[in-house]
């Protein structure tokens, strides 16, 4: 349950910092209606990620990924709206206090909320491209294509894939470099809604801590980095951040 004490504690660390980097995971979008992968009711408790989200399996048989996307993710992704946590980060950036959002999320909600400097470590599942000619497609085009075929294809007949990092693939170099640079330059790393078990992304808050930044973790469950943190708040993120930063929540 959210307490006044939690709100004040978070506000205090935010007010004491000049350069904040937010590091976000699936939990920041949970209150927007997008299920997390791990934790209670998480997607990977029902679907085997090896089969539905690995590059090896995708190359062998892309129909698994596309069925998973059509049945589980497509409608959720299009209906989700940014929540109070996304909006609070936009406001901190507008006030000149937050320099970047580094996200593991693939839902594009930070950008839709209005965040300008967003580094996506795992890509974005509202963008797609052809595995043969690299032409890009948007979600509406994919939705229409999936009504006609199980595996959408490009005009050049190449198989389409999401612009996300599947298990077994490398992270985008530019986003990772920028994330490390932001971690080393910030004075507060605000981790929001991440289990901090997916590497190498989970190293980013550690880089910030090692470079002398404060580390604040907002996550409903404990994380392996809690012992390194200056502040840990085990509470849902949306209302907490909206109240700490004083923005209106999207309800
Ligand atoms: P994760 O599923 O491993 O962990 C999410 C964490 O968020 C959990 O520890 C959970 O306790 C916490 N949480 C759940 N609801 C919360 C809330 N309302 N407020 C605060 N915390 C909450 O997610 P992860 O750490 O981001 O790493 C897993 C991978 O999952 C990433 O690679 C990411 O690409 C992918 N993913 C993304 C989305 C998305 O884009 N929205 C959704 C699911 C998974």
């Amino acid at each position: 349950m959210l307490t006044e004490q939690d709100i004040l504690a978070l506000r205090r660390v935010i007010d004491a910092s000049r350069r904040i980097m937010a590091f976000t995971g699936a939990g920041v979008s949970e209150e927007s209606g997008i299920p997390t992968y791990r934790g209670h009711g998480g997607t990977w408790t029902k679907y085997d990620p090896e089969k539905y989200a690995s590059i090896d399996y995708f190359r062998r048989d892309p129909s698994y990924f596309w069925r998973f996307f059509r049945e589980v993710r497509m409608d959720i992704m299009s209906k989700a709206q940014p929540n109070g946590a996304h909006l609070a980060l936009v406001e901190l950036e507008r006030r000149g206090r937050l320099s970047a959002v580094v996200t593991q999320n693939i839902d594009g909600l930070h950008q839709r909320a209005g965040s300008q400097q967003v580094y996506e470590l795992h890509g974005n599942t509202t963008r797609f491209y052809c595995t043969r000619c690299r032409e890009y497609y948007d979600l509406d085009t994919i939705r229409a294509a999936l009504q006609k075929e199980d595996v959408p294809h490009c005009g050049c007949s190449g198989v389409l894939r999401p612009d996300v990092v599947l298990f077994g693939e490398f992270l985008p170099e530019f986003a990772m470099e920028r994330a490390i640079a932001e971690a080393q330059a910030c004075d507060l790393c605000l981790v929001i809604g991440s289990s901090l078990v997916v590497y190498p992304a989970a190293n980013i808050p550690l880089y910030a801590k090692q470079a002398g930044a404060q580390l604040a973790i907002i996550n409903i469950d404990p994380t392996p980095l809690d012992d390194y943190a200056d502040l840990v708040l085990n509470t849902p993120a949306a209302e907490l951040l909206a109240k700490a930063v004083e923005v209106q929540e999207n309800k």
Side-chain angles (χ1 to χ4, degrees):
M1 207 195 57
L2 182 61
T3 65
E4 198 59 29
Q5 229 175 348
D6 291 342
I7 299 168
L8 289 177
L10 180 59
R11 195 177 291 154
R12 212 171 295 127
V13 289
I14 288 175
D15 287 350
S17 358
R18 292 286 156 267
R19 187 180 173 120
I20 302 169
M21 178 194 80
F23 178 82
T24 67
V28 79
S29 297
E30 191 265 347
E31 290 165 89
S32 294
I34 304 180
T36 59
Y37 280 169
R38 293 171 193 78
H40 185 69
T43 304
W44 295 152
T45 59
K46 297 174 208 132
Y47 293 85
D48 175 5
E50 259 313 298
K51 206 165 186 177
Y52 292 91
S54 79
I55 186 61
D56 283 350
Y57 226 93
F58 186 87
R59 286 200 186 112
R60 247 182 288 156
D61 184 356
S63 68
Y64 276 93
F65 167 81
W66 282 113
R67 195 170 66 210
F68 168 67
F69 183 76
R70 190 177 45 224
E71 289 173 5
V72 183
R73 302 302 274 188
M74 188 167 69
D75 284 341
I76 292 176
M77 287 291 170
S78 6
K79 282 184 197 137
Q81 295 298 325
N83 65 48
H86 298 102
L87 297 175
L89 298 182
V90 176
E91 177 58 17
L92 288 174
E93 187 178 27
R94 194 193 65 76
R95 291 181 197 163
R97 309 291 293 282
L98 179 141
S99 58
V101 176
V102 173
T103 189
Q104 301 167 89
N105 288 352
I106 52 177
D107 56 30
L109 286 183
H110 287 299
Q111 294 91 326
R112 280 191 28 217
S115 284
Q116 303 291 314
Q117 206 62 256
V118 180
Y119 298 112
E120 293 174 323
L121 298 182
H122 294 158
N124 190 314
T125 194
T126 62
R127 291 190 305 258
F128 306 83
Y129 66 90
C130 171
T131 50
R132 184 181 288 172
C133 73
R134 299 266 152 177
E135 182 166 343
Y136 272 83
Y137 291 86
D138 63 17
L139 186 53
D140 288 343
T141 313
I142 293 296
R143 180 188 295 283
L146 283 172
Q147 283 176 353
K148 294 187 222 125
E149 48 183 354
D150 291 343
V151 173
H153 286 80
C154 178
C156 79
S157 84
V159 169
L160 300 188
R161 61 160 288 170
D163 190 8
V164 298
V165 178
L166 297 171
F167 287 105
E169 292 188 302
F170 289 111
L171 268 57
E173 220 171 291
F174 175 76
M176 199 60 191
E177 275 170 20
R178 290 306 314 150
I180 293 171
E182 289 291 344
Q184 290 172 336
C186 73
D187 61 4
L188 171 63
C189 175
L190 206 52
V191 175
I192 310 166
S194 175
S195 58
L196 295 174
V197 297
V198 179
Y199 281 87
N203 279 324
I204 301 292
L206 275 181
Y207 292 142
K209 186 68 195 163
Q210 280 160 1
Q214 296 273 300
L215 177 61
I217 298 179
I218 301 163
N219 204 64
I220 52 178
D221 293 310
T223 81
L225 297 195
D226 287 359
D227 287 346
Y228 299 93
D230 301 281
L231 176 67
V232 176
L233 296 170
N234 294 128
T235 175
E239 191 183 356
L240 168 64
L241 269 142
K243 292 225 159 98
V245 178
E246 294 174 309
V247 295
Q248 276 296 334
E249 272 193 88
N250 259 355
K251 291 254 176 166

